[in-house]
Amino acid sequence: MFTNILALRPKGSDWLFSAKTFAASVLALFIALAFDLDRPVWAMATVYIVAHPLSGVLASKALYRVIGTIFGAVAAIVLVPNLVDAPVLLSLSLALWVGGCLYLSRLDRTPKSYLFMLAGYTAAIVGFPCVTDPGTIFDTAIARVQEISLGIICATVVSHVVFPRHVGPVIAARIDGWMADVAKLATLSFDVNSEADKLYRDRARIAADIGELHGLAVHLGYEKSRFSGRTRQLQALQSAIAALLPVLYAVHDRITALTEYCGQIPDALQVILDDVAAHLAMEQHDGARTRALHLRITTYGEAFANPSDWAGLLQLNLCSRLHRLLNFHADCCLIWDGLRAGSVPAEVVDRWRDSARDQALHRDHGVAFRSGLTAVIATLLVCGFWILTAWPSGATAAMMAAVGASIMSFLDNPVPALKGFIRYTAMAIVVVVIYSLAILPGIDGFALLVMAFAPYFLLLGVLMTSPQTYGFGLAMLVNVVMILNVDTAYNSDFATLLDSGIASLAGFAVAALVTAFVRSVTVDDSIRRLVIANWRDISAIARGTLKLPRMVMIRRLLDRQGLILPRLALAPDYRDTLMRAMPEVSIAASLHDLHRFKVLADRRIATKIDVVLRNIARHFDNRRRDFLAIPDPMILEEVDNILREVVADASSPGRDKLLIPLIALRRTLSKRGAPILGHPAEKAFVADLPPLMGETA
């Protein structure tokens, strides 16, 4: 940690953030002292807890924290007076409340997650200290809501009034960068000689950036930038950008296959590809140019309306993908141009409405349940010790156990962070001792108190601007504020302060121990869970039991890729697994299309398609149990046989619609050198399969 602190080079904006946060905390403390609130330090600490450099992010978090605090206070008011004579039952009820709220919080990937989390541990913060005097529960609950709301209001007002930094301009800069990245990826994808690793890295980075756009866009409704209230349109843009990734993968794959089969790309097709790449790289969208490219691609594809060989099938499929690429890119440009102009075409947004919903985001009920269970067990263990020993500071320990089990639950392995928080709390106690014994006794007046706090708080506030030092800065600030417990008069009861500090350490220690046994997972396990979740969805798509719109399904698979990417730095062995994820998106899309269009085929072909779908579903089910399960060699042969029959049946009304997903599935399942179905042995047995209309190994 100290290495990170020494390496930190704060910018002017970082010092401004620290100064604004300190000013807001001092304002909250002054108002709380002036109105003689019960615990003024709650108002001051809350400012640092909700602080964020972007005003919109702070406001969205703040709103849901206030609502969550109210819900938690109401829960404490209901539970404590009614169950105070049954301490075991009261402890169980509060623990279950904390755990249940944390479970809901972990399932929500929007600012509403703060509502559930705050509702959980606020009940513990309000309820446990009132166990010995339940008659004060209502007054305590009102006081906590007032103090926390005051801190949130002060932080929000200062953030929005004093040199506000809005989310909108940050999003605009990111989107401009991402659109440029997509254009570069298109150029690479159209080049058969592009380095595979480079393509993989660029796709993975854009997939991760898409998730970041979601995280930023949800805050736009809470600020007054030019994109205020445009969350829905930005989420539609996010979905459209996400849709480009599997299409660009498919285009590159078909170009590669055509080159392998024919030796080179036909000259006429190469000219079209070059023009499409140039079109995607243009800064201004040109609708007329897009329509002209569509016409040229359609004209070129008419020569392969009735393909009889693999080259014709590949070019037919490639033309279909180019049409889709141009359409998706046009929608991206129309949405982004409309956002900047202040008017987005409603019909374009509506096309992407379903895929922008929360249903397209990954949710892990297993991890959420274990997070909630951790909070329940940690809280109950401390409560049990408190009941047995009548520890005077047991309420503080129980409160901190609930808080500790909650605040780090978003991490794969919260234990290191909790251990760090314990260390920082111990260090904060040393700072409290210095302030309590050497500085505060000489303070006479609020102005001197501010001057005494300023050097420490301004310096530590700067550390909150960096992800590497955020935890240290927050812990050292909040713990000093809470343990010091500044009030209208100096309190020299050092023993009470020390006991409170020890109780806080004990509560966090229990939370860390329980987390280590119940909740903690390795990065490898997290990646496996995400990959297996994709396989579970692909299996359900193949069986027809997952009824999702096509783009919602694709968004969900890509969302998991975005979650895997930041974990790969700690688990490089899974790099090949992530490289297979994009082909698996293509498989899922092809399976979805086969389900949709098989009704257009005759009964005999539809029955064979059902067999293929069941076999693919069975394979992905096997992979969930055995990560390296070898696929059934018959799957590819079955696809080949169906393709031959569909190609031969030129009179079928659904022939063209079936050919596209069948060609895509056939190519994806048989791609050389990059086993898609899950095992290197695939390369060997694919080479032994009968060729499709002259295709050679």
Side-chain angles (χ1 to χ4, degrees):
M1 176 54 63
F2 290 105
T3 303
N4 291 331
I5 293 174
L6 293 174
L8 189 64
R9 298 293 181 269
K11 301 184 293 250
S13 58
D14 299 332
W15 286 106
L16 177 61
F17 165 76
S18 181
K20 288 169 58 177
T21 307
F22 179 62
S25 69
V26 167
L27 176 62
L29 180 63
F30 177 80
I31 296 173
L33 290 172
F35 285 89
D36 197 23
L37 297 184
D38 182 48
R39 292 283 299 277
V41 292
W42 275 105
M44 187 176 188
T46 299
V47 172
Y48 280 97
I49 292 171
V50 303
H52 195 281
L54 299 176
S55 56
V57 176
L58 188 154
S60 65
K61 290 168 61 177
L63 174 64
Y64 286 112
R65 283 179 184 274
V66 170
I67 298 173
T69 299
I70 294 172
F71 284 166
V74 170
I77 291 172
V78 171
L79 294 175
V80 173
N82 292 305
L83 301 176
V84 70
D85 293 328
V88 174
L89 185 57
L90 175 58
S91 299
L92 179 61
S93 299
L94 284 173
L96 288 174
W97 173 266
V98 174
C101 289
L102 184 58
Y103 169 78
L104 295 175
S105 175
R106 291 291 290 116
L107 290 180
D108 197 300
R109 292 174 58 193
T110 70
K112 289 197 296 291
S113 64
Y114 292 103
L115 187 158
F116 298 116
M117 184 183 295
L118 264 292
Y121 67 67
T122 296
I125 290 172
V126 173
F128 285 128
C130 294
V131 167
T132 55
D133 189 6
T136 64
I137 183 67
F138 186 79
D139 291 338
T140 301
I142 294 297
R144 293 297 170 271
V145 172
Q146 288 175 335
E147 291 151 2
I148 291 172
S149 299
L150 174 60
I152 289 172
I153 291 170
C154 289
T156 304
V157 169
V158 172
S159 177
H160 281 72
V161 172
V162 181
F163 301 109
R165 186 183 175 201
H166 295 303
V167 179
V170 175
I171 290 178
R174 300 281 176 87
I175 292 175
D176 284 336
W178 296 335
M179 294 292 283
D181 288 344
V182 167
K184 292 176 184 176
L185 178 60
T187 301
L188 286 173
S189 299
F190 289 177
D191 184 358
V192 72
N193 297 314
S194 292
E195 182 185 352
D197 280 353
K198 172 66 173 170
L199 282 167
Y200 150 73
R201 289 193 300 269
D202 286 359
R203 291 183 195 124
R205 188 184 67 254
I206 294 173
D209 289 344
I210 290 168
E212 184 181 0
L213 176 58
H214 169 80
L216 290 172
V218 294
H219 302 290
L220 280 174
Y222 304 90
E223 65 171 30
K224 292 298 181 183
S225 69
R226 61 173 174 151
F227 297 128
S228 178
R230 299 288 185 177
T231 298
R232 181 169 173 264
Q233 290 90 336
L234 276 166
Q235 289 178 338
L237 176 61
Q238 176 192 11
S239 297
I241 294 174
L244 289 171
L245 294 180
V247 179
L248 285 171
Y249 165 81
V251 168
H252 179 74
D253 182 72
R254 305 308 180 266
I255 291 172
T256 302
L258 192 59
T259 304
E260 291 172 352
Y261 185 77
C262 300
Q264 64 179 14
I265 300 294
D267 292 340
L269 179 58
Q270 186 62 59
V271 172
I272 292 176
L273 292 173
D274 292 341
D275 289 346
V276 171
H279 173 68
L280 298 182
M282 293 175 62
E283 292 186 4
Q284 296 294 327
H285 175 62
D286 186 340
R289 185 183 175 93
T290 301
R291 291 189 292 273
L293 284 169
H294 274 302
L295 180 60
R296 289 172 59 190
I297 294 168
T298 299
T299 302
Y300 181 84
E302 287 175 350
F304 309 100
N306 295 293
S308 59
D309 63 355
W310 185 235
L313 287 170
L314 285 173
Q315 291 180 82
L316 176 68
N317 190 271
L318 178 57
C319 288
S320 170
R321 292 299 183 264
L322 290 173
H323 281 304
R324 183 170 290 173
L325 175 63
L326 288 171
N327 285 332
F328 290 176
H329 183 265
D331 280 355
C332 288
C333 294
L334 288 171
I335 295 172
W336 184 220
D337 290 345
L339 278 166
R340 287 181 292 192
S343 177
V344 182
E347 66 276 8
V348 180
V349 175
D350 289 342
R351 275 201 291 271
W352 300 97
R353 180 179 54 200
D354 288 337
S355 56
R357 292 175 177 171
D358 290 345
Q359 198 176 20
L361 301 178
H362 171 70
R363 286 181 174 82
D364 194 325
H365 289 268
V367 170
F369 175 77
R370 291 210 303 272
S371 296
L373 182 62
T374 298
V376 171
I377 295 174
T379 306
L380 286 178
L381 285 176
V382 176
C383 287
F385 180 80
W386 178 22
I387 293 170
L388 291 174
T389 63
W391 183 18
S393 295
T396 299
M399 180 174 65
M400 288 300 104
V403 172
S406 301
I407 59 175
M408 301 296 181
S409 61
F410 64 93
L411 299 173
D412 291 331
N413 182 9
V415 175
L418 287 171
K419 288 181 178 178
F421 206 89
I422 293 169
R423 290 196 302 272
Y424 308 149
T425 301
M427 295 168 63
I429 293 174
V430 176
V431 177
V432 168
V433 171
I434 296 172
Y435 267 104
S436 182
L437 298 182
I439 299 176
L440 292 186
I443 297 297
D444 182 17
F446 190 77
L448 285 177
L449 179 66
V450 173
M451 292 175 64
F453 278 160
Y456 178 82
F457 280 76
L458 288 173
L459 181 61
L460 271 293
V462 170
L463 299 184
M464 292 179 59
T465 61
S466 169
Q468 288 74 28
T469 56
Y470 174 82
F472 176 81
L474 180 64
M476 292 296 291
L477 287 165
V478 172
N479 280 307
V480 166
V481 170
M482 296 302 298
I483 300 173
L484 200 56
N485 196 21
V486 174
D487 210 330
T488 52
Y490 170 65
N491 184 358
S492 60
D493 188 356
F494 176 71
T496 301
L497 292 179
L498 186 61
D499 195 32
S500 177
I502 293 173
S504 296
L505 288 174
F508 273 102
V510 172
L513 285 172
V514 176
T515 299
F517 284 103
V518 178
R519 163 66 179 84
S520 181
V521 295
T522 64
V523 174
D524 285 0
D525 287 339
S526 293
I527 293 176
R528 287 176 68 93
R529 289 181 67 85
L530 289 165
V531 171
I532 289 173
N534 265 1
W535 294 343
R536 181 176 59 246
D537 280 359
I538 293 173
S539 172
I541 292 165
R543 295 184 189 281
T545 56
L546 185 63
K547 304 295 185 180
L548 289 177
R550 191 178 193 273
M551 284 313 306
V552 173
M553 169 200 70
I554 289 175
R555 271 287 310 282
R556 184 187 290 183
L557 299 180
L558 289 174
D559 180 56
R560 294 192 182 111
Q561 290 187 45
L563 295 175
I564 291 172
L565 182 65
R567 293 172 167 88
L568 279 184
L570 300 176
D573 292 344
Y574 283 87
R575 176 180 170 278
D576 290 341
T577 299
L578 185 59
M579 288 186 73
R580 290 202 302 268
M582 191 62 70
E584 286 172 355
V585 174
S586 179
I587 290 175
S590 299
L591 297 177
H592 182 279
D593 291 344
L594 282 177
H595 265 294
R596 180 183 174 189
F597 297 128
K598 71 178 182 180
V599 295
L600 301 176
D602 63 45
R603 182 174 299 178
R604 181 170 48 83
I605 292 178
T607 300
K608 291 185 177 182
I609 291 174
D610 285 335
V611 171
V612 169
L613 294 173
R614 284 197 300 271
N615 287 339
I616 291 176
R618 189 179 302 114
H619 166 69
F620 281 102
D621 286 339
N622 291 338
R623 290 196 72 182
R624 289 163 55 196
R625 294 184 290 270
D626 178 3
F627 209 72
L628 297 178
I630 298 176
D632 185 349
M634 291 300 296
I635 294 176
L636 192 57
E637 187 172 346
E638 290 167 349
V639 174
D640 280 350
N641 290 334
I642 295 171
L643 256 177
R644 292 188 184 95
E645 292 194 32
V646 172
V647 168
D649 189 6
S651 61
S652 173
R655 178 177 180 272
D656 292 342
K657 292 186 180 297
L658 280 172
L659 276 178
I660 300 302
L662 283 170
I663 296 167
L665 185 62
R666 205 283 177 181
R667 171 60 189 169
T668 308
L669 295 180
S670 64
K671 190 178 179 186
R672 307 309 195 256
I676 304 307
L677 286 179
H679 197 278
E682 182 194 19
K683 186 177 180 181
F685 69 69
V686 166
D688 297 331
L689 290 178
L692 172 67
M693 292 170 286
E695 184 192 11
T696 60

